[in-house]
Amino acid sequence: MSVIQIVLLLIVAGITGIGSVVDEAQTHRPLVACTLVGIVLGDIQTGIILGGTLEMMALGWMNVGLAMAPDTAIASVISTILVINSHQGIGEGIAIAVPLAAAGQALTIFVRTITVFFIHKADEMAKKGNYKGIERAHLLAMSLQALRVMIPTLIISLISATAVQNFLSSIPEVITRGLQIGGGIIVVVGYAMVINMMDVPYLKPFMYAGFLFAAFTNFNLVGFGALGLIAAMIYLQLKYNGQPQVAAAPAGVVFDDDDDDLDA
């Protein structure tokens, strides 16, 4: 890799690290992070395919209360770098990403524990009315999250592609195949969790129709997206019939059409 590629990868890693705690732009999601790494390394196709595969696995991963989900940021960035540089397949990428996500989970817990210090500093600055100090505390805390992904990315980027390829080739097939099967199970569980959260009875016929189209047609994802958009437009047209909705008057209120200034 060239120096420019390494610098760009560090920028991507920093953005994904911050995105994993900010959750605003979703830059830490595998589909985004893997695609960005693929663009930097000149293999966007592999980045998108690996990102889409890992996205299906991580679909049901979320932080609930104090329970931390596996880290998708570090897993997405490093697994994509290793797969592209060593010319490995998606199966090897999954085999790398799963343990990396678990390691990243422990690492982000450690970093979040350290950032508690900066939160207390921000509280002190707030009591003094020091807005600049509050900003510095937050920026330092986010910088630690960026470094959490940037440092491992830098180490992996400096390792020769031959050494990485030899390491990946030494992984037994039973492990890679087992992780692929486990990843498929995680995808099903993720879909089930999402469907359970979106349990809206009047939308279920559209979901069943989607399954039927997938089973008996050759539609791709772009076709299904367009079909879903058309179905949503038809549904809205039939429901509202193009007429603006007028709010109903509260019970017991009578409107008087006469122009009388004394009406109450």
Side-chain angles (χ1 to χ4, degrees):
M1 284 189 293
S2 65
V3 176
I4 296 178
Q5 286 179 320
I6 294 177
V7 172
L8 292 176
L9 285 176
L10 292 178
I11 294 175
V12 171
I15 292 173
T16 57
I18 294 175
S20 64
V21 292
V22 177
D23 288 335
E24 183 176 355
Q26 297 296 305
T27 54
H28 65 292
R29 300 303 302 179
L31 187 57
V32 178
C34 294
T35 302
L36 292 176
V37 174
I39 293 174
V40 173
L41 297 180
D43 191 352
I44 186 173
Q45 180 178 356
T46 301
I48 292 175
I49 294 175
L50 180 59
T53 305
L54 296 180
E55 188 69 47
M56 294 297 100
M57 295 176 56
L59 196 62
W61 293 357
M62 61 189 70
N63 299 329
V64 180
L66 296 177
M68 294 296 302
D71 183 44
T72 57
I74 193 170
S76 302
V77 173
I78 293 182
S79 63
T80 308
I81 294 174
L82 294 177
V83 167
I84 293 177
N85 285 344
S86 58
H87 306 287
Q88 297 293 321
I90 302 301
E92 285 75 12
I94 297 175
I96 300 168
V98 172
L100 281 175
Q105 180 184 28
L107 186 58
T108 188
I109 292 175
F110 175 72
V111 174
R112 286 170 188 256
T113 303
I114 296 177
T115 55
V116 173
F117 168 78
F118 296 101
I119 301 303
H120 290 308
K121 283 295 181 181
D123 291 337
E124 294 178 5
M125 297 298 175
K127 292 178 181 178
K128 298 177 182 178
N130 188 349
Y131 298 106
K132 293 293 184 181
I134 297 174
E135 292 179 0
R136 285 194 297 268
H138 282 84
L139 290 175
L140 287 173
M142 287 193 298
S143 299
L144 290 179
Q145 290 293 343
L147 291 173
R148 175 181 62 86
V149 185
M150 292 175 68
I151 293 176
T153 300
L154 178 61
I155 295 173
I156 294 298
S157 300
L158 296 177
I159 298 176
S160 65
T162 304
V164 173
Q165 188 171 4
N166 293 335
F167 169 74
L168 295 178
S169 300
S170 64
I171 300 177
E173 184 180 357
V174 63
I175 295 179
T176 57
R177 183 60 180 166
L179 289 173
Q180 290 182 38
I181 296 173
I185 297 174
I186 295 174
V187 171
V188 175
V189 174
Y191 270 122
M193 293 176 65
V194 173
I195 293 173
N196 185 47
M197 290 187 295
M198 298 173 61
D199 187 15
V200 183
Y202 63 85
L203 293 180
K204 285 184 177 179
F206 295 99
M207 183 180 70
Y208 300 147
F211 277 108
L212 291 176
F213 272 100
F216 296 104
T217 65
N218 294 322
F219 275 34
N220 55 23
L221 292 179
V222 177
F224 275 113
L227 187 63
L229 178 62
I230 294 172
M233 294 173 63
I234 294 175
Y235 174 79
L236 292 175
Q237 287 292 329
L238 293 176
K239 182 176 181 180
Y240 297 108
N241 196 25
Q243 299 295 328
Q245 298 295 304
V246 179
V253 176
V254 178
F255 292 99
D256 189 354
D257 293 336
D258 295 332
D259 296 331
D260 191 347
D261 293 337
L262 297 178
D263 287 343

